[in-house]
Amino acid sequence: MLKKHSQLFISLAFISDLIVISLSWILAYLIRFEFRIGVVTEGEVSFSEYMTLLPVIILFSAIILRYFGLYLPKRGSSFIYEFLNIFKTSTFTVLLLIVITFFYRTYSYSRAVMIFFWITTIFALFISRGLTRQLLRWLRKKGFNLRHVLIIGANELGKKVLEKIKENPWTGFKVVGFIRESSPEDPGFYPEYIDNVKVLGGIESINKEIRDAGVDQVFIALPLEAHRDLEKVLRSLEEEVVDIRVIPDFFQFMTLNSGIEDLDGLPVINLSESPLYGWNRVIKRLADITFSLFILLIFSPIMFVISVLIKLTSEGPVFYKQKRLGLGGEVFDMLKYRSMKVDAEKDTGPVWASKDDERVTGIGKFLRRYSFDEIPQFINVLKGDMSIVGPRPERPVFIEEFKKKVPKYMLRHKMKAGITGWAQVNGWRGNTSLEKRLDHDLFYIENWSLAFDMKIMWLTFWKGLINKNAY
């Protein structure tokens, strides 16, 4: 019965989409020739010729909509995912239409109509499907069009699945029970209920419970140590007509931008991944170049004065190069104004700067206090070694120690090192808690956006230049 309801909704969605596409084609014609948006050329415009093309549009749209999987059940998918699918579908349809009309020489169709059709189709389909989705969500919250779920795994992972389903009632999933995994423990080890959902029995009772409860969705949530049961579970499910979903027990290992992608039909689980790929990388790089050039131009008189003062007040070079670890663990030379005496670490070795550090020069104290010693790092940004915003780079010698003491420390190198960062503007700068700095760095990488970068840059100028931990 549930399958019949599902097919009914799919059929209605399919018919609705074709109606929306047909109306979009008519609307595109009206916008171009009736509302006269754009330059209208002289000559006769035939509405009937455009309507002759409509059956072809409907036919190809129907094929393309199904090809791009717009009618596969996706109860948990997001609006963005659906919008991207609609965008790809509409774009492909219009490109195909342009090719067809190019070879159809009997009548010359307006390119503007094609553009208007592309735009209206994208937004009309998205709005139509959005309204349908909201209606379905409302119905599911009211208890209609539900899918009955059996969770295999009466454990923490199974509890997590139940929690997520309860937090998102619009998905239409209703958990009818748990199946406990095999265990050397006595069955009494498992609770009778988990969050008011009954633990129905062991793996041997899967088939009976599916039939008794009318289950049509099975979530396999077995812990890593119980994956020996997976083959037994899947063999049992071969006898049933149910949808099967596997929840991998990798939550404790999933870190940055984790997710699942497809490798030519093979599902691949990403446990950690940098957010800087594709256009994200291009946008951040363009922003870095633009702001760096601006800062270097504005501060050039101050840089000249600082350089002169360093030369006049102490022996040695103006700039100081120090090995730091950047994106992907690559070592680079980070530039700073020299704020310490030459060979400052000759006797001490690599150590953190401390308050009233005798190695710091007179002008160096001022530079470090107000972060002016960091200005040359904008040259590193132009070279591509660093970004304006990102986790502060550390010295390789310190990182060898940090990565053994602080779990997940190396994940901060999934993002290009920065002059300033989320940790710095929140006060975690210099010789402060490594754990707190890492928490802020990972939060930044997980939530990166150009707007977030702008916020951090603003906060840096507002409160980040002077810091009690900068010495």
Side-chain angles (χ1 to χ4, degrees), residues 299-316:
F299 278 81
S300 54
I302 297 174
M303 292 176 72
F304 175 75
V305 172
I306 291 172
S307 300
V308 172
L309 288 173
I310 292 172
K311 267 297 184 187
L312 292 175
T313 55
S314 65
E315 294 182 357

Side-chain angles (χ1 to χ4, degrees), residues 214-340:
V215 170
D216 58 0
Q217 305 281 323
V218 172
F219 283 73
I220 301 174
L222 295 172
L224 288 175
E225 62 270 17
H227 268 228
R228 63 186 180 278
D229 295 328
L230 185 57
E231 183 179 359
K232 192 188 301 183
V233 169
L234 293 175
R235 291 292 182 197
S236 297
L237 293 176
E238 284 178 356
E239 302 174 22
E240 308 298 334
V241 184
V242 292
D243 293 338
I244 303 169
R245 292 174 167 83
V246 178
I247 313 295
D249 188 19
F250 291 133
F251 283 114
Q252 66 268 42
F253 306 114
M254 295 180 112
T255 49
L256 297 176
N257 303 292
S258 53
I260 298 176
E261 62 184 37
D262 181 86
L263 178 61
D264 195 20
L266 180 69
V268 178
I269 300 173
N270 289 325
L271 297 183
S272 67
E273 186 178 48
S274 170
L276 288 186
Y277 55 87
W279 283 107
N280 286 351
R281 189 175 191 134
V282 174
I283 290 168
K284 188 167 175 66
R285 182 68 184 134
L286 288 174
D288 281 340
I289 292 171
T290 303
F291 281 102
S292 295
L293 287 172
F294 176 75
I295 293 293
L296 289 171
L297 182 64
I298 294 296
F299 278 81
S300 54
I302 297 174
M303 292 176 72
F304 175 75
V305 172
I306 291 172
S307 300
V308 172
L309 288 173
I310 292 172
K311 267 297 184 187
L312 292 175
T313 55
S314 65
E315 294 182 357
V318 170
F319 296 107
Y320 174 65
K321 290 182 181 180
Q322 195 174 66
K323 299 292 182 185
R324 297 287 176 115
L325 220 62
L327 179 66
E330 293 290 327
V331 178
F332 68 95
D333 289 319
M334 189 179 79
L335 289 173
K336 298 181 77 172
Y337 277 123
R338 184 176 57 81
S339 58
M340 290 188 175

Side-chain angles (χ1 to χ4, degrees), residues 36 45 95 196 351 384 409 458 462 471:
R36 295 186 171 269
V45 178
L95 289 174
N196 298 321
V351 292
Y409 185 83
W458 165 250
W462 180 252
Y471 36 74

